[in-house]
Amino acid sequence: MDARNEMLKLIRNRREGFSLAQPFYIDPDFYRLDLELIWYRDWLFVGHDCEIPKAGGYFTLQVGDYPVVVVRGRDGEIRAFHNSCRHRGSRVCTTHKGTAARLVCPYHQWTYDLDGKLVFARHMGDDFCKDDFGLKPVACESVAGYVFICLADQPADFAPFRALMEPYFRPHNLVDAKVAHEATIIEKGNWKLVWENNRECYHCAANHPDLCKTYPEAPTITGVSGAQDDPEIAEHWARCEAAGLPSQFRIDEAGQYRATRAPLLRDAVSYTATGRRAVRRNLSDRVSAERIGTLLLYHYPTTWNHILGDHAITFRVLPLSATETAVTTKWLVHKDAVEGVDYDLAELIHVWTETNDEDRRIVEENAFGIKSPAYEPGPYSGIHEGGVMQFVDWYARFIEPRLADGKPSLRSVA
């Protein structure tokens, strides 16, 4: 049986409330199907507007087989392109980040303007038409300081996500923030294991001593139900919304993305060892209320986020192989905040640096055990792992019809 039919069979026969069968976490052919049917079809968070504030600023990333460059044009627009020269396919931009007046392929110096148009290609003959060989575009959208791309020929409508997310994030003015620190770790586990670990705090008490000083372990925070019936959360929502900050739990119909605001423990206002502020200056001049907790955003398959009063922490998930995942964390502060004056970098990043490394260890031990021939799907906790069940249900519902239709996901861009 081929991998597509085997995956479809396992999806249709899976036991709800249980983890997935072993191939979903370790099989290279299942991983390729994940790329084709999810990562190459859906909107992916890639970075922030503030990382490329001026014309010519760019950053690059790799999504499966596709190198992509995201660049700000002279008109201020942010665009994305396949980072593959139209001459012989070499990568045009070879560094993680940079600034350039034009994008020049290092191989034969084919030169592209910031809007992707080919402007120079030497010794190509009189009948060569530059207009036919611009960089191939990738769908790109920017919302409230976040940049998303989609590799599909016909991307899903971005408007519903924009409508849900923008009111929550606009007050925090991430468009004008700056990245104080960035770190990428490689977790030796499937991307779904990374997400499953993220979607519950059942493991937190035993594994995250620094995070647990400020972040609640309550399943109403990490899950998808019960928050509206929790008096503490309801009071927090009411207080924040009275200050002009949308806070109530909202999730899209398909379960792919959601936003809510959650209280921190006791008098904590930030993710620090003491619970006190990590940054003297607020992240946004538009938000003056204290004790606003953390604004949470989840968008499968690429991002989860914590937006606080003094700073933001954003996470990007990118699969590297069936058993490796890159998790990139960025700490954002007010654009005018000064390191050593307004914040101490070590204090700012301590809690999530430790938490990320602890999660890496957890995911890797999980992945190691799943490789055992004795592994079989086990039951999730209905009390603490509702968020995990929701993620797995989303994955199964999302990929099943795509497996069934048998259509390829994306045209060749070679």
Side-chain angles (χ1 to χ4, degrees):
M1 184 180 292
D2 64 40
R4 182 182 288 261
N5 287 329
E6 176 66 15
M7 181 183 274
L8 184 60
K9 176 185 174 182
L10 289 172
I11 286 284
R12 288 177 170 172
N13 292 328
R14 78 183 184 94
R15 190 173 177 182
E16 289 196 19
F18 278 64
S19 58
L20 294 167
Q22 187 185 59
F24 287 97
Y25 301 118
I26 67 171
D27 189 283
D29 291 331
F30 276 43
Y31 168 72
R32 297 299 304 179
L33 286 167
D34 278 356
L35 290 180
E36 178 187 340
L37 301 176
I38 294 180
W39 292 88
Y40 296 167
R41 287 197 184 189
D42 293 293
W43 289 101
L44 311 174
F45 165 66
V46 292
H48 295 284
D49 301 50
C50 68
E51 297 180 68
I52 45 175
K54 297 180 180 179
Y58 69 85
F59 60 82
T60 62
L61 69 150
Q62 186 81 20
V63 183
D65 294 329
Y66 293 92
V68 176
V69 58
V70 179
V71 60
R72 189 181 289 272
R74 294 180 221 288
D75 57 1
E77 290 296 310
I78 296 175
R79 299 178 177 87
F81 301 97
H82 290 285
N83 190 12
S84 178
C85 184
R86 295 297 306 282
H87 177 213
R88 286 170 56 187
S90 177
R91 280 196 305 169
V92 177
C93 297
T94 60
T95 58
H96 174 44
K97 293 183 180 181
T99 303
R102 287 175 171 171
L103 307 181
V104 182
C105 178
Y107 198 178
H108 299 96
Q109 290 72 57
W110 279 35
T111 303
Y112 302 88
D113 211 343
L114 302 180
D115 60 3
K117 293 179 181 177
L118 180 64
V119 295
F120 175 74
R122 62 192 178 95
H123 302 166
M124 291 303 294
D126 294 339
D127 60 346
F128 178 73
C129 179
K130 294 194 297 291
D131 292 344
D132 295 337
F133 295 96
L135 291 175
K136 291 190 175 183
V138 174
C140 184
E141 294 280 353
S142 175
V143 53
Y146 285 68
V147 181
F148 284 77
I149 65 165
C150 182
L151 292 162
D153 283 338
Q154 297 179 325
D157 187 6
F158 190 77
F161 173 67
R162 181 186 297 277
L164 185 149
M165 180 262 202
E166 192 166 25
Y168 286 80
F169 282 76
R170 191 188 307 114
H172 295 282
N173 198 30
L174 293 176
V175 172
D176 292 325
K178 70 176 181 181
V179 176
H181 186 69
E182 174 180 343
T184 296
I185 61 172
I186 308 302
E187 301 189 13
K188 294 179 181 178
N190 186 271
W191 69 273
K192 295 185 291 296
L193 289 182
V194 172
W195 268 107
E196 289 189 40
N197 177 64
N198 172 267
R199 293 312 312 119
E200 49 89 359
C201 216
Y202 192 24
H203 70 277
C204 289
N207 293 279
H208 297 318
D210 289 299
L211 182 63
C212 284
K213 293 174 182 176
T214 54
Y215 185 73
E217 298 176 79
T220 48
I221 302 292
T222 56
V224 293
S225 62
Q228 65 277 6
D229 299 321
D230 186 317
E232 182 182 359
I233 295 175
E235 187 277 331
H236 183 72
W237 287 349
R239 182 163 46 80
C240 290
E241 294 198 346
L245 300 174
S247 300
Q248 293 195 36
F249 179 90
R250 289 187 63 195
I251 187 168
D252 86 298
E253 192 173 295
Q256 185 174 16
Y257 51 85
R258 60 189 181 274
T260 189
R261 204 175 297 272
L264 299 183
L265 292 175
R266 296 175 291 277
D267 295 326
V269 296
S270 192
Y271 291 130
T272 60
T274 63
R276 295 192 289 269
R277 301 173 66 95
V279 186
R280 290 191 179 93
R281 183 159 192 169
N282 277 357
L283 176 62
S284 170
D285 294 334
R286 305 174 190 174
V287 178
S288 58
E290 292 292 326
R291 295 192 64 212
I292 62 172
T294 178
L295 173 58
L296 305 174
L297 170 73
Y298 303 94
H299 188 294
Y300 303 145
T302 44
T303 190
W304 65 85
N305 302 261
H306 292 265
I307 315 301
L308 307 157
D310 64 336
H311 72 283
I313 313 103
T314 69
F315 302 83
R316 185 186 72 191
V317 176
L318 286 176
L320 302 179
S321 72
T323 55
E324 288 184 305
T325 306
V327 179
T328 297
T329 307
K330 296 175 184 178
W331 288 260
L332 281 69
V333 299
H334 191 284
K335 65 178 181 178
D336 296 327
V338 177
E339 183 182 348
V341 177
D342 295 303
Y343 63 94
D344 175 80
L345 185 60
E347 181 182 37
L348 174 69
I349 70 173
H350 172 78
V351 169
W352 280 105
T353 298
E354 294 299 310
T355 301
N356 286 345
D357 191 57
E358 292 152 3
D359 280 330
R360 177 197 56 76
R361 175 182 53 79
I362 291 166
V363 167
E364 291 180 358
E365 289 296 336
N366 194 184
F368 196 86
I370 283 174
K371 291 178 184 177
S372 168
Y375 167 80
E376 61 182 57
Y380 295 121
S381 164
I383 297 171
H384 284 281
E385 294 177 303
V388 187
M389 288 189 280
Q390 190 274 333
F391 166 73
V392 173
D393 287 346
W394 166 82
Y395 171 79
R397 290 195 308 269
F398 216 61
I399 206 168
E400 180 181 354
R402 298 177 179 193
L403 286 165
D405 72 22
K407 296 177 182 177
S409 65
L410 193 66
R411 67 160 188 259
S412 170
V413 296

